[in-house]
Structures are given as C-alpha cells and as structure tokens.
Amino acid sequence: MVIIKRKELSFIEKLYLPQIFQALSHSFRAMFQPRITRQYPEEPLPTNEVTRGQPRLTLLEDGEHLACVSCGLCEAACPAYAITIDGHETERFIEREPERFEIDMLRCILCGFCEEACPKDAIFMSDELELADFSRAALVYDIDKLKRPREELQGRIDYFYQVNDRWRTPSSTS
Ligand code: SF4
Ligand code: SF4
C-alpha cells in the first residue's frame, strides 16, 4: 500500500492569499505594458510569404493565359472538395487548359495541398486572407477572381521552393 503524505498548508496558504497577490501583480504589470490589440479591419493583419492565404492561379509570362494545364491533380488532392475543373483542348503548346476553374472559398480550409500537388507551378497560396460577401455563390471564385500575375505570388513561390529544397537530397536533384 502506498501512503501519500499531503503537504500541510499554512493558514495564509489556506486562504489562497499568495496566489491572489501573484495574480493581482500580473494584472497590475500588464496594465503598463504596450497594448497588443489589433484594431482590425482599420489595421490589417500582417502577412508575408509564409502566410497561407487563399489559393490563386498564376498567369504565364504573357500575362494572359493560365499556367494551368487542367490536369486535375489539385482537384484530386483537395480534401475539402473545393476545386472544380473542366478542361478543354487548346491549339497552344500546352494543349489543355481549364475553361472552368472554380474554388469554393467557403469549403477551402487553406491547407495548401493544391499548391503541393500542382506539377506546373500554376496554383499557389496567396497572402489574401479576407473573405466576405453577400451570398454563398459570390464566394465560389472563378478564373477571373483567381488569376494573378506570377510576380504577385513570387515571394510565396520562392518560399515554397526554399522549403521543398530541404527535402531534396543531392541524388534526387542530379
Ligand atoms: S488550400 Fe486545400 S482546401 Fe483549399 S483549395 Fe487548396 S487543397 Fe482545397
Ligand atoms: S494541379 Fe496545377 S496544372 Fe493541374 S489542374 Fe491544378 S492548377 Fe492546373
């Protein structure tokens, strides 16, 4: 049989006075520390290339066509079934492109799997976090709402490759 000896509390400890004074001193010191409350939305959230905001589609250098070849890998990888793609043939060198590419932003959980899955650098997570509209339909983003010049996403693209390079062994890059 194990006997557990309880610590005898002093009279002061039984009144919880040390804990109360300790808590009050924390509160008092906090009153003089700089405020960290962010006045959102007047003061926007800080973002950088690590921010995993809403996914966006990159444009080719011509600034007109999407880099997407409508392979459907991002659609298959999306755990939230947020992506819908209909592809069609094209006369251009890439041969296929999406005629419909939609992301339901209400379903999207910003996981980044689409970014990971894409073999064509055609979809990346942007730093766009804000999402508000007056109907559910308006939050299903089509190509016009999703497309961005590559330069706008360049910071994220560089970060993405820097992170993935950690997993590349010399033999896998040769
Ligand atoms: S970020 Fe995740 S949930 Fe959102 S579209 Fe991409 S794969 Fe789907
Ligand atoms: S994985 Fe990339 S290329 Fe394939 S459909 Fe998605 S965005 Fe387009």
Side-chain angles (χ1 to χ4, degrees), residues 45-159:
L45 295 170
T47 59
N48 56 31
E49 65 279 2
V50 182
T51 307
R52 212 167 54 204
Q54 298 156 23
R56 295 289 182 258
L57 298 174
T58 53
L59 288 169
L60 292 173
E61 282 169 1
D62 64 10
E64 188 186 344
H65 295 101
L66 294 174
C68 175
V69 293
S70 193
C71 68
L73 285 177
C74 56
E75 188 180 20
C78 178
Y81 304 111
I83 302 177
T84 309
I85 305 167
D86 290 332
H88 68 172
E89 288 184 10
T90 164
E91 295 302 312
R92 296 187 296 117
F93 65 97
I94 65 167
E95 296 181 4
R96 269 174 69 82
E97 66 181 6
E99 62 178 353
R100 173 188 178 210
F101 195 119
E102 290 177 350
I103 302 182
D104 185 340
M105 288 302 165
L106 292 176
R107 279 182 166 269
C108 178
I109 53 172
L110 310 181
C111 66
F113 283 10
C114 49
E115 180 186 63
E116 297 280 343
C118 181
K120 302 301 284 183
D121 282 2
I123 187 165
F124 283 98
M125 308 306 281
S126 69
D127 62 358
E128 297 173 46
L129 293 166
E130 300 194 353
L131 192 66
D133 219 308
F134 295 100
S135 70
R136 296 181 73 85
L139 292 167
V140 178
Y141 283 13
D142 60 9
I143 290 175
D144 280 343
K145 283 187 177 171
L146 291 170
K147 66 184 179 187
R148 293 287 180 278
R150 192 178 165 94
E151 309 82 65
E152 255 184 50
L153 298 165
Q154 196 59 52
R156 176 68 188 185
I157 296 170
D158 293 343
Y159 171 75

